[in-house]
């Protein structure tokens, strides 16, 4: 499934770059910005994340989360948050929570989802805001009710950097 999503994002990127030159102005290509992001520590790793900013279109593929299964063996709920730290405040891009009410454990690892929209997905976040200020946070609760927070600063790379004229 992850390979299909990466392939779809690659097609979107290629089509966007191809159609960027079709307009009457050459500046259209500068409106497309594609970023990949990843990060990790001893317990969790985020990989294959993609953010697309384009004139009239925005997309976010949260990537894959791999968690140390032994460390997270008794987790009953968690919240995953991707945010930009801007002007001293967190600007949330995505937040997702899962809770098992049957008394079992939840699996943290796996694909984290995607979203896209025409204008307005990232209302208060500009492309330059994600470059050094993108963070991932995982908050977990175990069977005894103990809460732990894990925070990663994402390494962000602009994929469209070489296409600028």
């Amino acid at each position: 499934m992850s390979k299909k999503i990466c392939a779809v994002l690659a097609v979107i990127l290629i089509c966007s770059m191809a159609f960027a030159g079709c307009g009457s102005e050459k500046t259209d290509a500068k409106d497309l910005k594609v970023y990949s992001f990843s990060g990790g520590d001893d317990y969790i790793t985020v990989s294959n994340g993609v953010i697309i900013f384009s004139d009239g279109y925005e997309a976010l593929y949260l990537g894959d989360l791999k968690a140390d299964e032994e460390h997270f063996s008794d987790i009953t709920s968690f919240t995953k948050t991707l945010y930009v730290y801007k002007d001293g405040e967190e600007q949330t891009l995505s937040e997702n929570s899962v809770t098992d009410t049957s008394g079992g454990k939840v699996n943290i690892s796996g694909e984290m989802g995607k979203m896209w929209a025409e204008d307005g997905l990232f209302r208060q976040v500009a492309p330059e805001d994600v470059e050094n200020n993108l963070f991932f946070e995982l908050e977990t609760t175990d069977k005894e009710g103990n809460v732990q927070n894990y925070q990663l600063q994402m390494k962000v790379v602009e994929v469209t950097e070489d296409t600028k004229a």
Side-chain angles (χ1 to χ4, degrees), residues 36-49:
S36 68
F37 62 89
S38 61
D41 63 14
D42 293 339
Y43 301 113
I44 57 175
T45 302
V46 174
S47 60
N48 301 322

mmCIF file with all atom_site columns, all heavy atoms in Angstrom, residues 36-49:
data_model
loop_
_atom_site.group_PDB
_atom_site.id
_atom_site.type_symbol
_atom_site.label_atom_id
_atom_site.label_alt_id
_atom_site.label_comp_id
_atom_site.label_asym_id
_atom_site.label_entity_id
_atom_site.label_seq_id
_atom_site.pdbx_PDB_ins_code
_atom_site.Cartn_x
_atom_site.Cartn_y
_atom_site.Cartn_z
_atom_site.occupancy
_atom_site.B_iso_or_equiv
_atom_site.pdbx_formal_charge
_atom_site.auth_seq_id
_atom_site.auth_comp_id
_atom_site.auth_asym_id
_atom_site.auth_atom_id
_atom_site.pdbx_PDB_model_num
ATOM 1  N N   . SER A 1 36 ? 10.008 16.431 1.397  1.00 0.00 ? 36 SER A N   1
ATOM 2  C CA  . SER A 1 36 ? 9.955  15.122 2.037  1.00 0.00 ? 36 SER A CA  1
ATOM 3  C C   . SER A 1 36 ? 10.451 15.322 3.466  1.00 0.00 ? 36 SER A C   1
ATOM 4  O O   . SER A 1 36 ? 11.245 16.225 3.739  1.00 0.00 ? 36 SER A O   1
ATOM 5  C CB  . SER A 1 36 ? 10.819 14.106 1.296  1.00 0.00 ? 36 SER A CB  1
ATOM 6  O OG  . SER A 1 36 ? 12.187 14.413 1.425  1.00 0.00 ? 36 SER A OG  1
ATOM 7  N N   . PHE A 1 37 ? 9.947  14.477 4.375  1.00 0.00 ? 37 PHE A N   1
ATOM 8  C CA  . PHE A 1 37 ? 10.406 14.593 5.757  1.00 0.00 ? 37 PHE A CA  1
ATOM 9  C C   . PHE A 1 37 ? 10.529 13.222 6.401  1.00 0.00 ? 37 PHE A C   1
ATOM 10 O O   . PHE A 1 37 ? 9.867  12.263 6.014  1.00 0.00 ? 37 PHE A O   1
ATOM 11 C CB  . PHE A 1 37 ? 9.493  15.514 6.581  1.00 0.00 ? 37 PHE A CB  1
ATOM 12 C CG  . PHE A 1 37 ? 8.072  15.051 6.728  1.00 0.00 ? 37 PHE A CG  1
ATOM 13 C CD1 . PHE A 1 37 ? 7.695  14.225 7.778  1.00 0.00 ? 37 PHE A CD1 1
ATOM 14 C CD2 . PHE A 1 37 ? 7.100  15.461 5.827  1.00 0.00 ? 37 PHE A CD2 1
ATOM 15 C CE1 . PHE A 1 37 ? 6.377  13.813 7.922  1.00 0.00 ? 37 PHE A CE1 1
ATOM 16 C CE2 . PHE A 1 37 ? 5.783  15.052 5.964  1.00 0.00 ? 37 PHE A CE2 1
ATOM 17 C CZ  . PHE A 1 37 ? 5.423  14.230 7.020  1.00 0.00 ? 37 PHE A CZ  1
ATOM 18 N N   . SER A 1 38 ? 11.425 13.165 7.392  1.00 0.00 ? 38 SER A N   1
ATOM 19 C CA  . SER A 1 38 ? 11.659 11.946 8.152  1.00 0.00 ? 38 SER A CA  1
ATOM 20 C C   . SER A 1 38 ? 12.362 12.316 9.449  1.00 0.00 ? 38 SER A C   1
ATOM 21 O O   . SER A 1 38 ? 12.872 13.421 9.596  1.00 0.00 ? 38 SER A O   1
ATOM 22 C CB  . SER A 1 38 ? 12.516 10.965 7.341  1.00 0.00 ? 38 SER A CB  1
ATOM 23 O OG  . SER A 1 38 ? 13.777 11.544 7.063  1.00 0.00 ? 38 SER A OG  1
ATOM 24 N N   . GLY A 1 39 ? 12.392 11.371 10.363 1.00 0.00 ? 39 GLY A N   1
ATOM 25 C CA  . GLY A 1 39 ? 13.085 11.581 11.622 1.00 0.00 ? 39 GLY A CA  1
ATOM 26 C C   . GLY A 1 39 ? 12.962 10.344 12.489 1.00 0.00 ? 39 GLY A C   1
ATOM 27 O O   . GLY A 1 39 ? 12.150 9.459  12.220 1.00 0.00 ? 39 GLY A O   1
ATOM 28 N N   . GLY A 1 40 ? 13.771 10.281 13.523 1.00 0.00 ? 40 GLY A N   1
ATOM 29 C CA  . GLY A 1 40 ? 13.690 9.113  14.384 1.00 0.00 ? 40 GLY A CA  1
ATOM 30 C C   . GLY A 1 40 ? 14.557 9.231  15.624 1.00 0.00 ? 40 GLY A C   1
ATOM 31 O O   . GLY A 1 40 ? 15.401 10.120 15.742 1.00 0.00 ? 40 GLY A O   1
ATOM 32 N N   . ASP A 1 41 ? 14.313 8.322  16.546 1.00 0.00 ? 41 ASP A N   1
ATOM 33 C CA  . ASP A 1 41 ? 15.132 8.173  17.739 1.00 0.00 ? 41 ASP A CA  1
ATOM 34 C C   . ASP A 1 41 ? 15.201 6.680  18.069 1.00 0.00 ? 41 ASP A C   1
ATOM 35 O O   . ASP A 1 41 ? 14.929 5.849  17.203 1.00 0.00 ? 41 ASP A O   1
ATOM 36 C CB  . ASP A 1 41 ? 14.602 9.013  18.909 1.00 0.00 ? 41 ASP A CB  1
ATOM 37 C CG  . ASP A 1 41 ? 13.220 8.610  19.392 1.00 0.00 ? 41 ASP A CG  1
ATOM 38 O OD1 . ASP A 1 41 ? 12.725 7.509  19.034 1.00 0.00 ? 41 ASP A OD1 1
ATOM 39 O OD2 . ASP A 1 41 ? 12.611 9.386  20.155 1.00 0.00 ? 41 ASP A OD2 1
ATOM 40 N N   . ASP A 1 42 ? 15.541 6.330  19.302 1.00 0.00 ? 42 ASP A N   1
ATOM 41 C CA  . ASP A 1 42 ? 15.676 4.924  19.676 1.00 0.00 ? 42 ASP A CA  1
ATOM 42 C C   . ASP A 1 42 ? 14.356 4.170  19.685 1.00 0.00 ? 42 ASP A C   1
ATOM 43 O O   . ASP A 1 42 ? 14.349 2.944  19.603 1.00 0.00 ? 42 ASP A O   1
ATOM 44 C CB  . ASP A 1 42 ? 16.314 4.804  21.065 1.00 0.00 ? 42 ASP A CB  1
ATOM 45 C CG  . ASP A 1 42 ? 17.759 5.276  21.080 1.00 0.00 ? 42 ASP A CG  1
ATOM 46 O OD1 . ASP A 1 42 ? 18.392 5.316  20.001 1.00 0.00 ? 42 ASP A OD1 1
ATOM 47 O OD2 . ASP A 1 42 ? 18.259 5.612  22.165 1.00 0.00 ? 42 ASP A OD2 1
ATOM 48 N N   . TYR A 1 43 ? 13.234 4.867  19.795 1.00 0.00 ? 43 TYR A N   1
ATOM 49 C CA  . TYR A 1 43 ? 11.941 4.212  19.963 1.00 0.00 ? 43 TYR A CA  1
ATOM 50 C C   . TYR A 1 43 ? 11.006 4.304  18.754 1.00 0.00 ? 43 TYR A C   1
ATOM 51 O O   . TYR A 1 43 ? 10.217 3.411  18.508 1.00 0.00 ? 43 TYR A O   1
ATOM 52 C CB  . TYR A 1 43 ? 11.217 4.768  21.190 1.00 0.00 ? 43 TYR A CB  1
ATOM 53 C CG  . TYR A 1 43 ? 12.003 4.583  22.453 1.00 0.00 ? 43 TYR A CG  1
ATOM 54 C CD1 . TYR A 1 43 ? 12.508 5.676  23.140 1.00 0.00 ? 43 TYR A CD1 1
ATOM 55 C CD2 . TYR A 1 43 ? 12.256 3.314  22.955 1.00 0.00 ? 43 TYR A CD2 1
ATOM 56 C CE1 . TYR A 1 43 ? 13.237 5.501  24.304 1.00 0.00 ? 43 TYR A CE1 1
ATOM 57 C CE2 . TYR A 1 43 ? 12.987 3.134  24.112 1.00 0.00 ? 43 TYR A CE2 1
ATOM 58 C CZ  . TYR A 1 43 ? 13.479 4.232  24.787 1.00 0.00 ? 43 TYR A CZ  1
ATOM 59 O OH  . TYR A 1 43 ? 14.206 4.060  25.926 1.00 0.00 ? 43 TYR A OH  1
ATOM 60 N N   . ILE A 1 44 ? 11.060 5.431  18.028 1.00 0.00 ? 44 ILE A N   1
ATOM 61 C CA  . ILE A 1 44 ? 10.155 5.621  16.892 1.00 0.00 ? 44 ILE A CA  1
ATOM 62 C C   . ILE A 1 44 ? 10.901 6.214  15.704 1.00 0.00 ? 44 ILE A C   1
ATOM 63 O O   . ILE A 1 44 ? 11.870 6.957  15.875 1.00 0.00 ? 44 ILE A O   1
ATOM 64 C CB  . ILE A 1 44 ? 8.946  6.523  17.245 1.00 0.00 ? 44 ILE A CB  1
ATOM 65 C CG1 . ILE A 1 44 ? 9.397  7.892  17.767 1.00 0.00 ? 44 ILE A CG1 1
ATOM 66 C CG2 . ILE A 1 44 ? 8.029  5.833  18.233 1.00 0.00 ? 44 ILE A CG2 1
ATOM 67 C CD1 . ILE A 1 44 ? 8.271  8.875  18.012 1.00 0.00 ? 44 ILE A CD1 1
ATOM 68 N N   . THR A 1 45 ? 10.415 5.878  14.509 1.00 0.00 ? 45 THR A N   1
ATOM 69 C CA  . THR A 1 45 ? 10.977 6.425  13.279 1.00 0.00 ? 45 THR A CA  1
ATOM 70 C C   . THR A 1 45 ? 9.833  6.778  12.338 1.00 0.00 ? 45 THR A C   1
ATOM 71 O O   . THR A 1 45 ? 8.937  5.973  12.114 1.00 0.00 ? 45 THR A O   1
ATOM 72 C CB  . THR A 1 45 ? 11.886 5.395  12.581 1.00 0.00 ? 45 THR A CB  1
ATOM 73 O OG1 . THR A 1 45 ? 12.931 5.018  13.481 1.00 0.00 ? 45 THR A OG1 1
ATOM 74 C CG2 . THR A 1 45 ? 12.500 5.970  11.317 1.00 0.00 ? 45 THR A CG2 1
ATOM 75 N N   . VAL A 1 46 ? 9.879  7.991  11.811 1.00 0.00 ? 46 VAL A N   1
ATOM 76 C CA  . VAL A 1 46 ? 8.937  8.448  10.792 1.00 0.00 ? 46 VAL A CA  1
ATOM 77 C C   . VAL A 1 46 ? 9.716  8.512  9.481  1.00 0.00 ? 46 VAL A C   1
ATOM 78 O O   . VAL A 1 46 ? 10.798 9.094  9.432  1.00 0.00 ? 46 VAL A O   1
ATOM 79 C CB  . VAL A 1 46 ? 8.364  9.842  11.132 1.00 0.00 ? 46 VAL A CB  1
ATOM 80 C CG1 . VAL A 1 46 ? 7.502  10.365 9.992  1.00 0.00 ? 46 VAL A CG1 1
ATOM 81 C CG2 . VAL A 1 46 ? 7.583  9.797  12.432 1.00 0.00 ? 46 VAL A CG2 1
ATOM 82 N N   . SER A 1 47 ? 9.153  7.898  8.429  1.00 0.00 ? 47 SER A N   1
ATOM 83 C CA  . SER A 1 47 ? 9.827  7.918  7.124  1.00 0.00 ? 47 SER A CA  1
ATOM 84 C C   . SER A 1 47 ? 8.801  8.134  6.013  1.00 0.00 ? 47 SER A C   1
ATOM 85 O O   . SER A 1 47 ? 7.606  7.918  6.203  1.00 0.00 ? 47 SER A O   1
ATOM 86 C CB  . SER A 1 47 ? 10.581 6.603  6.890  1.00 0.00 ? 47 SER A CB  1
ATOM 87 O OG  . SER A 1 47 ? 9.692  5.507  6.922  1.00 0.00 ? 47 SER A OG  1
ATOM 88 N N   . ASN A 1 48 ? 9.293  8.573  4.870  1.00 0.00 ? 48 ASN A N   1
ATOM 89 C CA  . ASN A 1 48 ? 8.487  8.731  3.644  1.00 0.00 ? 48 ASN A CA  1
ATOM 90 C C   . ASN A 1 48 ? 7.384  9.780  3.737  1.00 0.00 ? 48 ASN A C   1
ATOM 91 O O   . ASN A 1 48 ? 6.406  9.697  3.000  1.00 0.00 ? 48 ASN A O   1
ATOM 92 C CB  . ASN A 1 48 ? 7.873  7.394  3.213  1.00 0.00 ? 48 ASN A CB  1
ATOM 93 C CG  . ASN A 1 48 ? 8.911  6.343  2.944  1.00 0.00 ? 48 ASN A CG  1
ATOM 94 O OD1 . ASN A 1 48 ? 9.962  6.642  2.405  1.00 0.00 ? 48 ASN A OD1 1
ATOM 95 N ND2 . ASN A 1 48 ? 8.641  5.117  3.351  1.00 0.00 ? 48 ASN A ND2 1
ATOM 96 N N   . GLY A 1 49 ? 7.510  10.765 4.594  1.00 0.00 ? 49 GLY A N   1
ATOM 97 C CA  . GLY A 1 49 ? 6.515  11.828 4.652  1.00 0.00 ? 49 GLY A CA  1
ATOM 98 C C   . GLY A 1 49 ? 6.696  12.801 3.502  1.00 0.00 ? 49 GLY A C   1
ATOM 99 O O   . GLY A 1 49 ? 7.819  13.064 3.072  1.00 0.00 ? 49 GLY A O   1
#
